[in-house]
Amino acid sequence: MRLIVDRSTRRRGIAVKNNSGHPVLKSAGLAVAGICAGMVTEYLLDPERGKARRARMRDKTTHAAHEMNGGLSGLSRDLSNRGRGMAMAARYRVTGRSADDSVLHDRVRSELGRHVDHPHAVQVRVDHGTVTLVGDILADEEKAARHAIKRIPGVKKVDAQWTTHEEPGDVPTLQGKGRTRRSPDRADSNH
């Protein structure tokens, strides 16, 4: 076999051809593909174990299809729920600004429960969007609670008249373990 170097190809490098003009690498690739096809055929059509191998391959294929279907179904549900949640959040931001005082009171109590270990120690009064907070709170919780309450749609002003304490000390309402609350980072990652 005599090899001819063809420099007229547009590919980078040198193409090697045999006497008939066909690239050697193409012929080698076809030979390897043929060998692989023969091996797969022999593996699956083996008279002794071919039936079991075909059944196992069928089962694995079915299992993979079910797994993919379940994953796509879950992804579809997740995207649908996220879209619905974003729409509801946008609606809440727009329509929530006109909440009456009783609804606003409940929203503030709920937000306090997320940011304060002893929410029962704080009394909430709402008058035309102005939130008045009276009671006892720990110093390390005060800033986060005040900020969270200011961000509630419908709250126009926050009048924090609560007493800030560095430690629970002798304050009866701050005694005990308090509520176990989740940090905002962990709460967001669960949804």
Side-chain angles (χ1 to χ4, degrees):
M1 175 169 110
R2 196 178 104 202
L3 296 177
I4 302 169
V5 176
D6 181 15
R7 296 180 189 269
S8 64
T9 60
R10 293 183 180 203
R11 289 188 190 167
R12 209 167 175 205
I14 299 171
V16 178
K17 296 183 178 184
N18 59 12
N19 285 340
S20 64
H22 294 16
V24 174
L25 295 179
K26 183 176 180 182
S27 299
L30 289 174
V32 169
I35 291 171
C36 289
M39 290 172 62
V40 169
T41 303
E42 182 182 347
Y43 180 78
L44 294 176
L45 299 179
D46 181 20
E48 292 179 19
R49 290 192 272 165
K51 186 174 182 180
R53 291 172 179 165
R54 289 189 303 274
R56 190 174 3 165
M57 183 179 285
R58 182 192 63 231
D59 292 344
K60 286 186 176 189
T61 304
T62 303
H63 176 73
H66 286 210
E67 288 290 317
M68 184 177 290
N69 188 25
L72 291 176
S73 170
L75 178 65
S76 166
R77 250 189 336 270
D78 182 50
L79 291 175
S80 171
N81 290 339
R82 285 177 189 266
R84 192 175 315 122
M86 287 172 40
M88 289 294 124
R91 181 175 148 211
Y92 172 74
R93 292 287 172 206
V94 172
T95 62
R97 302 216 181 277
S98 61
D100 66 350
D101 288 346
S102 64
V103 171
L104 204 52
H105 179 272
D106 292 341
R107 289 179 183 171
V108 170
R109 294 295 317 166
S110 176
E111 200 64 31
L112 273 175
R114 289 186 189 99
H115 296 280
V116 177
D117 280 339
H118 299 85
H120 61 276
V122 178
Q123 291 79 41
V124 178
R125 290 191 304 258
V126 180
D127 186 34
H128 301 295
T130 301
V131 177
T132 305
L133 304 166
V134 179
D136 300 303
I137 189 168
L138 294 173
D140 61 340
E141 301 170 341
E142 193 264 339
K143 184 178 179 182
R146 184 191 304 246
H147 180 70
I149 292 169
K150 282 182 182 178
R151 294 185 64 219
I152 296 173
V155 172
K156 296 175 184 161
K157 180 181 174 189
V158 176
D159 183 18
Q161 298 176 357
W162 52 30
T163 307
T164 305
H165 303 276
E166 292 296 322
E167 294 180 6
D170 294 332
V171 183
T173 55
L174 297 179
Q175 297 302 311
K177 185 177 179 183
R179 297 171 51 109
T180 56
R181 57 192 163 114
R182 293 189 311 202
S183 68
D185 298 329
R186 284 182 45 210
D188 290 342
S189 67
N190 289 337
H191 295 298

